Amino acid sequence: EIRCLAAGYALLTVVRVGIADWSLVILQDLRGFSVESAKNCLISLELGGFIGGMMTGSVSDFLFNGQRSPVMYWCCLFMLPCVATIIWASMEVSMAPLYLSATYGFLGLVSFGPHMLVGLVARELYPNAPSTAGSYCKFIGQIGGTLAGYPLSIVASSGLGWSAVGIVMSTCTVLAAILFGQVTQPKAKIS
């Protein structure tokens, strides 16, 4: 189960870091957004992430009785329309900066939560070696962050361009959801 958790985290990180790293290129260079509008989108991503990180912990505790993986699963599925919208914005589709900013905010809301929960799930799965389990997942997740850089630039410069990046990111999101759905953990003690 720790392998599913770590692999799902790596895929989630490809999407989260890929969006954060490549958004300025997409918004400024391809869409012609002003620096201010592009910055607002990235600020929305981070603000959404702050709220999502806090919210997913409470949702998993009180709505899912301490089960974290269903929350991670649903968050990944909710990421799909956001990823599609952001990649769609890289094409010749007209979108208002405010709409894209809201999309980035919602993406932050649903993508940072699983990021926070991964370490907690790893520690709950392996209570005798919690730091090792958490470190293992974070290590594998960093591989996903690395893949969001140069390898995604190769995909973007392929014949399909940013639509190919959208396909890769959407696939990563679906696979992360599937992998998180495979993780079962002991019931958390919630007082």
Side-chain angles (χ1 to χ4, degrees):
E1 293 196 6
I2 192 89
R3 287 185 210 105
C4 285
L5 183 66
Y9 182 52
L11 294 167
L12 174 73
T13 305
V14 167
V15 176
R16 197 176 56 76
V17 172
I19 293 289
D21 286 357
W22 291 105
S23 284
L24 287 178
V25 172
I26 292 171
L27 296 173
Q28 286 184 284
D29 295 349
L30 298 175
R31 298 300 300 157
F33 276 33
S34 68
V35 173
E36 189 69 26
S37 293
K39 181 181 75 174
N40 287 340
C41 288
L42 292 176
I43 288 171
S44 295
L45 179 73
E46 296 297 328
L47 287 174
F50 175 75
I51 295 166
M54 299 299 290
M55 200 171 76
T56 53
S58 295
V59 167
S60 70
D61 283 344
F62 300 112
L63 293 181
F64 287 90
N65 297 320
Q67 295 298 302
R68 322 275 178 224
S69 54
V71 175
M72 294 161 48
Y73 170 84
W74 283 107
C75 282
C76 285
L77 291 183
F78 288 137
M79 285 172 59
L80 270 175
C82 297
V83 169
T85 299
I86 291 167
I87 297 301
W88 197 29
S90 71
M91 297 176 222
E92 296 301 318
V93 178
S94 177
M95 284 188 199
L98 185 61
Y99 175 74
L100 267 178
S101 189
T103 301
Y104 273 89
F106 188 72
L107 179 63
L109 187 82
V110 296
S111 67
F112 280 72
H115 173 79
M116 185 267 312
L117 290 176
V118 163
L120 184 56
V121 172
R123 286 161 178 81
E124 290 174 348
L125 285 172
Y126 293 93
N128 294 333
S131 294
T132 303
S135 296
Y136 172 76
C137 288
K138 295 297 181 179
F139 171 75
I140 300 299
Q142 283 303 115
I143 294 170
T146 302
L147 294 174
Y150 183 66
L152 271 187
S153 73
I154 293 171
V155 173
S157 63
S158 73
L160 294 174
W162 287 101
S163 59
V165 172
I167 292 167
V168 168
M169 287 187 172
S170 297
T171 303
C172 287
T173 303
V174 169
L175 292 174
I178 291 168
L179 289 166
F180 289 149
Q182 301 303 309
V183 177
T184 57
Q185 72 218 57
K187 187 166 173 28
K189 296 178 179 117
I190 304 188
S191 32

